[in-house]
Amino acid sequence: MRILVVEDEKEIADGIQAILKHEGYESDVVYAGDEALEYMRTGIYDLVLLDVMLPGMDGFEVIRHAKNEGISAPIILLTAKSMVDDKIKGLDLGADDYLTKPFDSGELLARIRARLRIKSGETTRINSNSISAYDISLDASTYKLSHGDKSVKLSNKEYQFMEYLMLNKGIILERDNIANRVWGFDDEGDYNNIAVYASFLRKKLRFIDAKAAIVTKKDVGYSLEENDGKGTA
Ligand code: CA
């Protein structure tokens, strides 16, 4: 696996590269947008970590050019915490995911694994709007969670939470990361709220008779698992 790191702050870039190296990923670092595009054109990267604020061509421009040229490597945007609109803009342009700076190494690696799994087909991206994991699928345009011919509509927060679980199926997601991912930096994302939404989602999973189930790891977080049918999940 080879990852391209695009980040003009050298300390951050070096830090990311060290984390990747420790996990056994090969990586290259570039510090500017036009350079990033040149490297991406080689087609050797399985994933690109792309900072938004870059000198010269910014991250959005890089995505725009990359998509126009048919470069297919998944892109995870690195956005500043204060820039909520950047996330939406980035995803609209075709970025696959985003990480808000500052992030911890566990969060970074979880997102990378999720992207690489989608690429390898373990979690299937049915089309750009829909993902599936275990026996359920989730549609980004209708917010519908489905199992077979049964489906149920999710609220915005339920959708964000479910998507995060599905993209990381089988992996325990820490509550702080869930809060950050689903609620962003407004402080509604406390642990109680996460528990409430987990319970909403469980009801909906039961409603569509899904085997996929949300498992609570006490005082740590949540994961999406395949229910063996014995428990009530
Ligand atoms: Ca920057």
Side-chain angles (χ1 to χ4, degrees):
M1 291 295 173
R2 180 168 283 272
I3 297 173
L4 181 65
V5 180
V6 187
E7 168 62 78
D8 59 313
E9 283 159 84
K10 194 169 182 307
E11 259 178 48
I12 298 177
D14 289 349
I16 292 174
Q17 193 167 34
I19 293 165
L20 295 178
K21 189 176 177 195
H22 187 258
E23 284 304 296
Y25 295 115
E26 300 291 330
S27 65
D28 299 303
V29 174
V30 294
Y31 304 101
D34 48 354
E35 217 181 346
L37 208 50
E38 274 173 41
Y39 275 64
M40 287 166 77
R41 285 185 184 123
T42 63
I44 63 170
Y45 296 102
D46 299 291
L47 184 81
V48 181
L49 298 175
L50 178 63
D51 184 28
V52 173
M53 300 292 282
L54 293 166
M57 187 189 289
D58 70 10
F60 298 130
E61 281 301 304
V62 172
I63 299 175
R64 211 171 272 141
H65 281 281
K67 295 297 162 186
N68 279 343
E69 293 180 24
I71 294 169
S72 65
I75 296 169
I76 299 179
L77 267 190
L78 309 178
T79 65
K81 201 161 191 178
S82 55
M83 299 294 184
V84 192
D85 291 345
D86 281 3
K87 300 170 185 172
I88 298 158
K89 186 175 175 190
L91 294 174
D92 281 348
L93 283 172
D96 297 87
D97 203 353
Y98 60 83
L99 258 176
T100 305
K101 293 197 269 189
F103 45 80
D104 64 44
S105 58
E107 175 75 349
L108 173 69
L109 292 169
R111 297 293 181 86
I112 290 172
R113 282 193 299 268
R115 275 310 121 190
L116 296 177
R117 267 204 308 282
I118 286 177
K119 211 184 169 218
S120 69
E122 232 181 281
T123 297
T124 313
R125 186 167 281 279
I126 299 167
N127 56 48
S128 60
N129 273 334
S130 190
I131 57 169
S132 74
Y134 304 122
D135 61 345
I136 54 175
S137 61
L138 184 64
D139 190 313
S141 54
T142 61
Y143 281 19
K144 270 188 182 158
L145 181 68
S146 308
H147 167 235
D149 49 14
K150 293 186 176 180
S151 70
V152 62
K153 195 167 161 44
L154 304 187
S155 71
N156 178 39
K157 295 298 180 208
E158 288 171 344
Y159 172 83
Q160 303 299 335
F161 193 177
M162 197 67 211
E163 181 193 47
Y164 191 34
L165 286 163
M166 288 173 75
L167 291 175
N168 295 281
K169 67 173 192 178
I171 295 169
I172 296 160
L173 301 173
E174 290 175 25
R175 290 179 297 184
D176 285 339
N177 290 338
I178 295 168
N180 202 5
R181 164 84 180 203
V182 178
W183 280 271
F185 57 89
D186 33 295
D187 51 14
E188 297 163 41
D190 61 40
Y191 296 162
N192 280 335
N193 224 342
I194 296 172
V196 168
Y197 274 82
S199 122
F200 289 161
L201 286 172
R202 284 189 180 117
K203 278 187 193 130
K204 293 192 171 178
L205 284 168
R206 279 198 293 273
F207 178 74
I208 59 169
D209 289 330
K211 282 203 176 104
I214 297 169
V215 174
T216 305
K217 176 94 175 159
K218 196 171 181 302
D219 296 331
V220 180
Y222 299 85
S223 67
L224 188 71
E225 312 273 346
E226 180 121 65
N227 190 347
D228 60 10
K230 290 171 197 154
T232 53

